[in-house]
Amino acid sequence: MSALHIKKGSTKHSAYNLRPNFSDVQEQHTLAVVVENEPGVLARVIGLFSGRGYNIESLTVAEVDHTGHLSRITVVTTGTPQVIEQIKAQLGRIVSVHEVHDLTVEGPSVERELAIFKVVGDGEKRVEALRLADIFRANVVDSTLNSFIFEITGAPDKIDAFADLMRPLGLAEVARTGVAALLRGA
Amino acid sequence: MTREMTGAKMVVEALKEQGVDTIFGYPGGAVLPIYDEVFQQNDIRHILVRHEQGAVHAAEGYARSTGKPGVVLVTSGPGATNAVTGLTDALLDSIPLVVLTGQVPTFMIGSDAFQEADTVGITRPCTKHNWLVKDTDQLAATLHEGFHVATSGRPGPVLIDIPKDVQFATGTYEPAKPTASHYQPAVKGDMEEITELVAALEVAERPVFYTGGGVINSGPAASQLLRELVEATGIPITSTLMGLGAYPASGKNWLGMLGMHGLYEANLAMHDCDLMINIGARFDDRITGRLDAFSPNSIKAHIDIDPSSINKVIKADIPIVGDVAHVLEDILKVWKARGRKVNREAIAKWQEQVSEWRKVNCLAFAADEKTIKPQYALQRLEELTKKHDRYITTEVGQHQMWAAQYLNFEDPNRWMTSGGLGTMGYGFPASIGVQMAHPDALVINVAGEASWLMNMQEMGTAVQYRLPVKQFILNNERLGMVRQWQELLHGERYSHSWSEALPDFVKLAEAFGAKGIICKDPKDLDDAIIEMIEYEGPVIFDCLVEKHENCFPMIPSGKAHNEMLMGEADTQGVIQSTGAVLV
Ligand SMILES: Cc1ncc(C[n+]2csc(CCOP(=O)(O)OP(=O)(O)O)c2C)c(N)n1
Ligand SMILES: [Mg+2]
């Protein structure tokens, strides 16, 4: 073959992590995107995902630095490694985006979500719901004679597990915030 | 120094500060205050187009032929929506534009007011960035930021939407502060990657340069450095449609354009190379053909200022993010410092192989005594205009591909064509923009009759401003490129690909106060072209050509570079249904 001695996709010296080893495996990544807090910025980010056919599993956004005019968007997405790299590069070229962090790569990170659950029922089921809520450290934030609203925070899979348990006990409605995430350590 | 003034005046002041000499536009209710300011000054020339799409393409022509951003001023609602095609065109071809739109007053936004449209919403996906300015104090800074964003990094169109009350109100004018923006894309490439590329270049046996519009966008220095590198290494070079002229067509290492209608030698060199050096191109689907058969045995280096271009389509073994001129300068520096090595023996052999491919003479065509072949028309146009200070624009279709094949470009910024979007109707207004920037040059739009009709209203603009643009229409009375695909892919069912009820182009020219020339006999062609060149005003040249000519070589969709169709004889049953679903 050729006299070129380059192992394809081997090393990685670029700041952009552009030496890929592409595979077809779908991965879930949590991205933290620091953006200019200006009108339309969320539409730009969401429009990028819908326009290019990327997935959004969850998305949260709020201003995090009032004087610096910065908001933080946390987006959980899935795709092959190539698609994930594309998503980050495409996010990076939006003019209002200041920083893109892939917490899944840069990690370990802490991921938390808040959810509130309305559970309707009486008798044994009502007692059981309360018992499980206690195990999951969910708080009762509203109650009537035949309903509770529980508040729970935690990693998304803990919230999923809680939802699964509540379903047979009269789960009527759920509202979830989506994931907020930070890298661990200083 | 800061000064108090109205928003409308700020617009004119900011344009002057940015060095703008020409704007293309069309007035309306929501931009009247700005037009009032335009009226009261003489530094900036305003060109009144006949349709806002024309204004944007004209600004693109101006930008591509000068390297400066093109500027457009249009009204709200329909003015803004008419600009959308041009914005999308400029986004796909990375052309720097600053488009200013009027908007209904801030207190009426959201009320479905007369000529209200959600302009920033509509244009968000077709601009590099856009702004709605709600406060006159922010206007000057936003205008300066607009120029900065349009021209920094990978260039592109920006849009600034200015409500009418913001134009009337008084605020503080802030002069431009280049460092104010957080948007500062890196221009220097990673030295380790550059060194790795040089190391590969030193030993490669069958290297090829694959260059694109990024070289032109990077500026004249990039083309100079590219020429130096190519001459010094003796490596063959091909280019995309967008990159023609960066390396001269007369250069001895020139392979010609590559891609779907690229040259045989260029496509085979891409397929067989062992080192591909992509400089400012983006592995577009017109270039790669079937991806899993694209240049199967090569190491691929990719130089691009936009990180998202790298690994988007083709994995890069040596990725380099940076501005072409900066990266080429570093490549040359490192290569010289390491002793200017290349594998001369192997490259000589490789060049021999290239010469063999050249002998196939893939652009040969059967000339005819009675009918003008479109290829012949372009050969004659090339011969009779190549000595001139010449700029070429094109429309979209077969004529565009033939122009790319048969015209030769010796310098950058001389060739403006709609590559990424393939916008019929681009070429005529673009030629107007080019002529505005180069009043004494010979500006020719190589057109198809169907494309040309899409923005023919701009004849009024050409005549009004005495712009001697030459409209060289290869009239096959067909949507030729559509017809070709129907012939090859859809069982010769020519569904709606005729140009019926065509105008008499000579009379049309005369109706606008321009000159019309018709030519249908090959024997008359040279004289007619000379007459067109020598006429000191706009000309419509109706060149009646063979109606059923197909454009070759052609890599059909879904095929690889080494599966080119070279002529009619190759076309029988070659395109499979899997290819037919591709565009
Ligand atoms: C605005 C727009 N509409 C449709 C097309 C699809 N299209 C591509 S080439 C072509 C035919 C162009 O005909 P003409 O301008 O006469 O050029 P020819 O191919 O005959 O040289 C069409 C309809 C397009 N590229 N742009
Ligand atoms: Mg035609």
Side-chain angles (χ1 to χ4, degrees):
Chain A
M1 227 201 67
S2 111
L4 295 164
H5 300 293
I6 294 176
K7 236 171 100 221
K8 292 197 172 193
S10 52
T11 55
K12 171 186 151 229
H13 347 105
S14 164
Y16 287 93
N17 184 24
L18 293 167
R19 291 290 183 116
N21 243 332
F22 292 156
S23 77
D24 292 336
V25 182
Q26 294 280 322
E27 296 178 354
Q28 186 172 79
H29 283 237
T30 303
L31 309 179
V33 189
V34 179
V35 300
E36 197 87 23
N37 182 18
E38 62 185 14
V41 63
L42 188 58
R44 283 182 211 285
V45 171
I46 291 173
L48 170 69
F49 278 78
S50 63
R52 293 185 185 264
Y54 306 141
N55 298 314
I56 297 180
E57 304 291 330
S58 122
L59 183 136
T60 62
V61 55
E63 189 179 64
V64 291
D65 175 356
H66 185 69
T67 44
H69 266 277
L70 297 178
S71 290
R72 183 178 173 109
I73 298 174
T74 308
V75 49
V76 181
T77 183
T78 51
T80 62
Q82 181 183 15
V83 168
I84 302 282
E85 287 306 314
Q86 244 320 280
I87 292 172
K88 289 189 269 180
Q90 292 290 352
L91 284 168
R93 72 200 274 252
I94 295 177
V95 173
S96 355
V97 168
H98 287 238
E99 289 166 41
V100 180
H101 295 284
D102 184 341
L103 303 184
T104 308
V105 171
E106 294 171 32
S109 64
V110 175
E111 297 195 359
R112 283 292 180 275
E113 188 178 358
L114 183 145
I116 48 180
F117 287 76
K118 182 182 286 179
V119 180
V120 179
D122 37 34
E124 261 312 298
K125 285 187 173 172
R126 187 169 159 84
V127 177
E128 180 64 3
L130 206 55
R131 199 180 65 82
L132 287 169
D134 193 42
I135 294 171
F136 275 77
R137 275 180 258 143
N139 299 320
V140 178
V141 290
D142 178 63
S143 81
T144 65
L145 285 176
N146 59 354
S147 72
F148 287 121
I149 294 180
F150 297 115
E151 173 205 300
I152 179 170
T153 57
D157 51 354
K158 172 178 164 187
I159 294 174
D160 291 343
F162 188 62
D164 287 344
L165 290 171
M166 287 298 126
R167 208 158 284 125
L169 301 177
L171 180 62
E173 266 184 275
V174 185
R176 296 175 70 153
T177 58
V179 174
L182 288 176
L183 281 180
R184 291 183 56 190
Chain B
M1 196 189 67
T2 56
R3 288 169 289 155
E4 296 293 308
M5 63 183 78
T6 65
K9 183 138 177 61
M10 276 185 198
V11 170
V12 171
E13 283 301 303
L15 295 185
K16 279 189 207 167
E17 192 183 332
Q18 293 291 337
V20 174
D21 53 20
T22 309
I23 60 178
F24 302 89
Y26 208 91
V31 279
L32 284 178
I34 299 175
Y35 269 87
D36 209 16
E37 291 296 334
V38 168
F39 186 83
Q40 298 177 49
Q41 55 84 46
N42 289 315
D43 298 322
I44 298 169
R45 190 151 181 219
H46 177 275
I47 303 302
L48 178 70
V49 294
R50 299 301 187 263
H51 185 294
E52 289 86 352
Q53 185 187 354
V56 185
H57 293 323
E60 287 186 89
Y62 178 95
R64 296 197 54 188
S65 66
T66 60
K68 296 197 286 183
V71 181
V72 173
L73 173 59
V74 297
T75 193
S76 65
T81 55
N82 274 349
V84 165
T85 300
L87 288 168
T88 312
D89 191 272
L91 185 71
L92 277 171
D93 283 347
S94 306
I95 310 299
L97 296 183
V98 176
V99 176
L100 310 176
T101 50
Q103 182 54 280
V104 301
T106 47
F107 51 84
M108 292 178 81
I109 288 177
S111 70
D112 296 323
F114 179 62
Q115 295 196 327
E116 179 182 357
D118 177 8
T119 301
V120 286
I122 290 168
T123 61
R124 202 173 282 128
C126 63
T127 51
K128 183 173 171 185
H129 198 67
N130 62 12
W131 296 263
L132 169 65
V133 182
K134 289 186 168 168
D135 176 358
T136 307
D137 281 328
Q138 294 296 317
L139 183 55
T142 307
L143 288 160
H144 296 311
E145 172 80 353
F147 278 88
H148 171 73
V149 169
T151 54
S152 315
R154 181 176 181 171
V158 303
L159 181 142
I160 302 169
D161 200 23
I162 313 172
K164 197 170 182 180
D165 56 333
V166 173
Q167 300 171 34
F168 273 127
T170 301
T172 310
Y173 182 88
E174 299 278 351
K177 288 190 219 80
T179 50
S181 176
H182 85 85
Y183 182 74
Q184 307 288 352
V187 291
K188 292 280 281 180
D190 181 292
M191 283 316 280
E192 270 183 78
E193 298 284 4
I194 286 174
T195 308
E196 183 146 9
L197 169 55
V198 170
L201 192 147
E202 288 169 346
V203 295
E205 294 170 354
R206 300 183 308 281
V208 66
F209 288 112
Y210 150 45
T211 59
V215 184
I216 315 264
N217 276 338
S218 176
S223 293
Q224 274 316 316
L225 292 160
L226 177 70
R227 289 164 190 221
E228 186 186 342
L229 183 63
V230 173
E231 294 325 319
T233 56
I235 295 173
I237 171 169
T238 178
S239 163
T240 65
L241 183 73
M242 298 305 293
L244 296 177
Y247 182 81
S250 59
K252 67 175 191 307
N253 294 305
W254 179 236
L255 291 164
M257 179 176 81
L258 82 161
M260 184 175 267
H261 291 290
L263 271 65
Y264 183 72
E265 48 270 41
N267 285 334
L268 285 193
M270 288 287 279
H271 189 268
D272 286 2
C273 65
D274 68 346
L275 174 65
M276 177 186 297
I277 305 169
N278 173 341
I279 309 178
R282 60 183 175 92
F283 295 110
D284 178 79
D285 54 74
R286 302 289 99 162
I287 296 304
T288 58
R290 203 174 101 207
L291 279 176
D292 59 6
F294 175 68
S295 193
N297 299 314
S298 60
I299 293 290
K300 294 168 187 80
H302 190 175
I303 302 166
D304 203 300
I305 195 149
D306 179 355
S308 79
S309 286
I310 291 174
N311 295 328
K312 182 172 65 179
V313 184
I314 294 288
K315 291 184 214 176
D317 302 300
I318 309 176
I320 301 175
V321 174
D323 166 61
V324 169
H326 284 82
V327 173
L328 283 177
E329 198 179 0
D330 284 337
I331 289 174
L332 273 161
K333 232 182 260 165
V334 173
W335 182 69
K336 286 174 186 170
R338 288 170 54 117
R340 300 167 172 265
K341 286 180 290 214
V342 284
N343 192 340
R344 298 264 169 223
E345 212 169 298
I347 290 179
K349 240 204 227 150
W350 175 229
Q351 288 281 14
E352 258 168 56
Q353 170 66 72
V354 169
S355 309
E356 286 302 309
W357 288 328
R358 280 204 183 98
K359 285 188 197 143
V360 168
N361 195 12
C362 68
L363 293 184
F365 62 94
D368 194 290
E369 297 230 319
K370 294 223 169 56
T371 22
I372 301 176
K373 286 292 183 89
Q375 302 96 322
Y376 176 74
L378 287 163
Q379 276 183 341
R380 296 316 303 157
L381 186 73
E382 166 67 15
E383 198 50 40
L384 296 168
T385 62
K386 67 182 181 194
K387 296 252 152 58
H388 286 75
D389 177 18
R390 183 189 76 179
Y391 292 81
I392 300 286
T393 68
T394 78
E395 303 288 347
V396 170
Q398 289 179 316
H399 63 276
Q400 176 190 29
M401 293 298 113
W402 282 315
Q405 293 173 340
Y406 291 91
L407 301 180
N408 292 328
F409 299 95
E410 296 297 313
D411 293 300
N413 304 98
R414 297 274 170 165
W415 161 250
M416 347 288 135
T417 192
S418 172
L421 195 63
T423 311
M424 292 171 70
Y426 165 87
F428 182 16
S431 73
I432 287 176
V434 174
Q435 190 84 70
M436 273 307 299
H438 310 277
D440 300 323
L442 174 62
V443 181
I444 304 170
N445 174 31
V446 175
E449 80 295 336
S451 296
W452 193 82
L453 289 174
M454 283 206 175
N455 271 322
M456 60 160 268
Q457 76 285 347
E458 300 305 329
M459 269 320 278
T461 313
V463 172
Q464 178 180 345
Y465 296 96
R466 298 196 173 80
L467 299 171
V469 288
K470 314 302 182 199
Q471 304 305 309
F472 192 71
I473 301 177
L474 295 174
N475 185 351
N476 52 12
E477 298 174 16
R478 299 288 182 279
L479 311 183
M481 192 56 96
V482 173
R483 192 206 57 74
Q484 175 167 347
W485 280 55
Q486 288 172 336
E487 181 186 331
L488 299 178
L489 290 147
H490 294 272
E492 302 180 49
R493 290 179 295 278
Y494 298 118
S495 182
H496 301 273
S497 53
W498 266 273
S499 293
E500 300 254 15
L502 283 170
D504 176 331
F505 283 103
V506 174
K507 280 194 189 144
L508 184 71
E510 286 163 7
F512 275 104
K515 183 179 178 62
I517 297 174
I518 186 165
C519 184
K520 53 174 179 276
D521 190 328
K523 286 191 279 303
D524 301 334
L525 186 59
D526 277 24
D527 287 346
I529 291 175
I530 290 166
E531 187 186 356
M532 172 185 86
I533 299 168
E534 288 180 349
Y535 184 73
E536 288 177 358
V539 176
I540 303 179
F541 190 116
D542 186 10
C543 189
L544 299 177
V545 296
E546 165 61 46
K547 301 182 202 319
H548 304 109
E549 195 72 11
N550 283 332
C551 185
F552 294 111
M554 177 179 185
I555 303 174
S557 293
K559 295 282 183 176
H561 277 175
N562 57 354
E563 297 174 286
M564 251 168 294
L565 311 181
M566 301 298 289
E568 296 298 342
D570 293 344
T571 60
Q572 294 315 313
V574 280
I575 299 173
Q576 294 139 3
S577 49
T578 45
V581 303
L582 303 169
V583 289

